[in-house]
């Protein structure tokens, strides 16, 4: 006779209705605000900026070595085997007349407003700090003025006239003679020095797009008293400084992007005109000495003086460059959380928002779990 089978979960109801005597509760943190969706125009703009970064931010040490090699080897070849004449071989070409001869003016035209707008933003409106950053262009202008006039003085006072009737350049040329002096290339100096200054000043835009995320998260943290972003670079800013940062970033970023594109375009033009100068103007020694002086001035100021003064581009009241990568810690010694954070997929150097938000949510869940364990 078949026996009646017992239910598999005889006391399922009682177990489901069981409640612990003590209930544990914790305050859940709200999610961080998500970034606004990007439009097609913004995506295209980011692509253009990415190309500009790749074009402008070549390793400066490599670029300086290329400059030195071209000034020596290519100039030497041009002296021995003259290159065929072209549009750029004429000093009357439009790029030489309207750009190179006014080279430092064009450099200041884009670098000056870029420096003002960027420094005002990351210095949170502190005018004394903005003036300190502006001092770099003042020193660079003095270097340009001193060396260009020095080159002209050497060429005018250390030469000879053909015929040898006259001892000064002005009298010689006025009498229809030809003056042969040691004509150090002012164009080579201006083009190389301007390009190196543009590269250094443009470095303030590295990590610039990430400031938007810092502002959004910091604003959320301050309004919700969220301590999970206590390691934010903006945590030490006062309320006034934070509001100035937010306002100036939103107001000036479109102009900063446009100026950065202009700086990249000008840098490419300076490189093209430098090749033209190497191929068609002056002799090798005149160009090499001028280029060496330009490189020396750049090294003394940006690699030594400004670094010693802590006055490099991008140094303000908070740090925003290379925040996601801890280069001082070896890869095999980094924690798993750091590795996961640094492995976020990126597009053109910027972290993908979806992947970053997933990582932030997982971090919040870990914080909540640790809070529960603490109370247990």
């Amino acid at each position: 006779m078949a026996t009646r089978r017992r239910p598999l979960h005889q006391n399922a109801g009682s177990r489901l209705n069981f409640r612990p005597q003590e209930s544990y509760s914790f305050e859940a943190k709200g999610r961080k605000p998500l970034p606004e969706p990007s439009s097609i125009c913004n995506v295209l703009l980011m692509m253009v900026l990415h190309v500009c970064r790749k074009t402008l931010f070549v390793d400066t040490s490599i670029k300086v070595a290329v400059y030195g090699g071209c000034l020596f080897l290519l100039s030497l070849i041009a002296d021995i085997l003259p290159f065929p004449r072209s549009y750029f071989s004429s000093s009357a070409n439009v790029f030489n007349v309207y750009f190179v001869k006014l080279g430092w003016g064009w450099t200041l035209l884009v670098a000056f407003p870029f420096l003002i707008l960027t420094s005002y933003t990351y210095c949170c409106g502190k005018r004394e700090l903005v003036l300190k950053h502006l001092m770099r262009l003042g020193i660079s202008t003095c270097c340009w003025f001193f060396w260009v006039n020095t080159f002209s003085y050497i060429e005018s006072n250390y030469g000879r006239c053909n015929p040898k009737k006259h001892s000064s350049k002005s009298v010689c040329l006025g009498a229809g003679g030809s003056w042969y002096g040691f004509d150090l290339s002012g164009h080579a100096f201006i083009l190389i020095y301007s390009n190196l200054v543009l590269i250094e000043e443009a470095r303030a835009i590295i990590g610039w797009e990430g400031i938007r995320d810092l502002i959004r998260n910091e604003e959320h943290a301050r309004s919700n008293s969220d301590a999970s972003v206590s390691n934010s670079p903006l945590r030490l800013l006062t309320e006034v400084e934070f509001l100035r940062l937010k306002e100036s970033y939103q107001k000036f970023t479109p102009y900063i992007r446009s100026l950065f594109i202009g700086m990249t375009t000008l840098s490419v033009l300076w490189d093209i005109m430098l090749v033209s100068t190497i191929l068609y103007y002056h002799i090798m020694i005149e160009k090499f000495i001028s280029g060496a002086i330009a490189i020396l001035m750049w090294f003394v100021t940006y690699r030594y003086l400004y670094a010693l003064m802590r006055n490099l581009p991008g140094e303000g009241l908070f740090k925003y460059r290379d925040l996601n990568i801890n280069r001082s810690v070896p890869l095999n010694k980094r924690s798993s959380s750091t590795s996961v954070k640094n492995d976020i997929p990126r597009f053109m150097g910027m972290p993908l928002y979806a992947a970053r938000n997933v990582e932030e949510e997982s971090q919040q869940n870990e914080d909540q779990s640790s809070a529960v364990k603490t109370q247990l």
Side-chain angles (χ1 to χ4, degrees):
M1 184 174 180
T3 59
R4 187 176 181 180
R5 298 181 62 183
R6 299 177 61 185
L8 182 62
H9 303 289
Q10 185 174 3
N11 296 326
S14 60
R15 284 200 300 269
L16 290 175
N17 293 329
F18 174 76
R19 295 288 184 273
Q21 294 180 355
E22 297 181 4
S23 60
Y24 303 97
S25 62
F26 58 90
E27 182 180 357
K29 301 176 182 178
R31 294 183 178 180
K32 295 179 181 179
L34 298 177
E36 298 179 357
S38 298
S39 62
I40 296 178
C41 294
N42 191 44
V43 171
L44 294 177
L45 177 60
M46 291 299 105
M47 294 176 65
V48 173
L49 292 175
H50 176 71
V51 173
C52 291
R53 289 189 182 95
K54 290 295 183 181
T55 302
L56 190 60
F57 296 135
V58 180
D59 189 344
T60 316
S61 301
I62 297 177
K63 194 153 192 172
V64 166
V66 171
Y67 282 155
C70 291
L71 288 172
F72 183 81
L73 294 176
L74 196 57
S75 296
L76 190 60
I77 295 174
D79 291 344
I80 299 173
L81 301 173
F83 283 81
R85 312 302 290 178
S86 67
Y87 176 74
F88 292 98
S89 63
S90 173
S91 60
N93 71 78
V94 64
F95 298 104
N96 185 63
V97 173
Y98 296 103
F99 287 94
V100 179
K101 290 186 177 181
L102 304 173
W104 191 249
W106 283 105
T107 300
L108 291 180
L109 184 64
V110 293
F112 181 81
F114 181 86
L115 187 152
I116 291 293
L117 297 181
T118 53
S119 60
Y120 186 88
T121 301
Y122 59 70
C123 292
C124 302
K126 299 287 185 178
R127 294 187 177 182
E128 61 275 12
L129 297 180
V130 176
L131 292 176
K132 184 179 178 181
H133 284 285
L134 189 60
M135 180 183 64
R136 293 195 303 270
L137 288 185
I139 294 176
S140 299
T141 302
C142 291
C143 290
W144 161 79
F145 183 82
F146 172 79
W147 285 109
V148 168
N149 284 276
T150 300
F151 294 163
S152 178
Y153 177 83
I154 293 174
E155 194 268 339
S156 299
N157 292 275
Y158 297 92
R160 59 183 177 83
C161 182
N162 187 17
K164 298 182 179 179
K165 297 180 180 180
H166 312 287
S167 59
S168 66
K169 180 181 178 180
S170 58
V171 175
C172 178
L173 296 179
S178 299
W179 183 261
Y180 297 95
F182 189 56
D183 188 12
L184 290 170
S185 178
H187 283 186
F189 174 84
I190 292 173
L191 293 171
I192 293 177
Y193 190 60
S194 296
N195 216 340
L196 293 175
V197 169
L198 284 175
I199 292 173
E200 293 295 340
E201 293 300 332
R203 294 188 188 279
I205 205 172
I206 298 177
W208 190 264
E209 304 301 329
I211 298 179
R212 178 177 61 252
D213 299 332
L214 295 176
I215 293 175
R216 184 180 65 252
N217 293 335
E218 181 67 18
E219 187 175 31
H220 169 78
R222 295 192 180 203
S223 60
N224 294 276
S225 300
D226 187 359
S228 64
V229 291
S230 59
N231 60 343
S232 171
L234 308 182
R235 68 187 184 280
L236 298 180
L237 298 181
T238 64
E239 192 67 27
V240 175
E241 293 171 345
F242 178 72
L243 292 177
R244 285 181 180 175
L245 169 63
K246 179 182 176 182
E247 180 183 1
S248 58
Y249 182 81
Q250 295 174 350
K251 182 179 180 180
F252 297 145
T253 294
Y255 303 104
I256 291 172
R257 291 169 177 170
S258 301
L259 289 169
F260 176 67
I261 295 174
M263 294 169 76
T264 305
T265 305
L266 197 61
S267 175
V268 173
L269 178 60
W270 289 165
D271 281 340
I272 294 174
M273 296 310 298
L274 178 63
V275 174
S276 173
T277 300
I278 292 174
L279 295 181
Y280 299 114
Y281 303 99
H282 299 275
I283 60 176
M284 184 273 290
I285 190 64
E286 294 172 345
K287 289 175 284 190
F288 185 79
I289 293 178
S290 300
I293 293 175
I295 294 172
L296 179 63
M297 290 298 98
W298 159 78
F299 183 83
V300 169
T301 52
Y302 282 93
R303 291 300 174 92
Y304 179 75
L305 179 62
Y306 302 149
L308 189 64
M309 297 171 57
R310 299 182 181 273
N311 191 34
L312 291 172
E315 294 186 356
L317 296 183
F318 64 96
K319 294 183 178 181
Y320 62 91
R321 293 169 54 178
D322 302 328
L323 294 177
N324 293 328
I325 301 177
N326 186 7
R327 292 188 174 92
S328 61
V329 182
L331 288 174
N332 56 355
K333 294 184 179 181
R334 293 180 186 177
S335 62
S336 59
S337 61
T338 304
S339 301
V340 171
K341 185 176 181 179
N342 293 339
D343 291 339
I344 295 176
R346 295 173 178 270
F347 176 69
M348 297 190 298
M350 297 296 295
L352 295 177
Y353 288 128
R356 184 175 57 195
N357 292 334
V358 170
E359 191 273 335
E360 290 178 352
E361 292 178 4
S362 63
Q363 183 65 35
Q364 291 179 3
N365 293 333
E366 291 179 3
D367 295 340
Q368 294 176 359
S369 299
S370 62
V372 173
K373 292 179 181 179
T374 302
Q375 294 184 4
L376 288 175

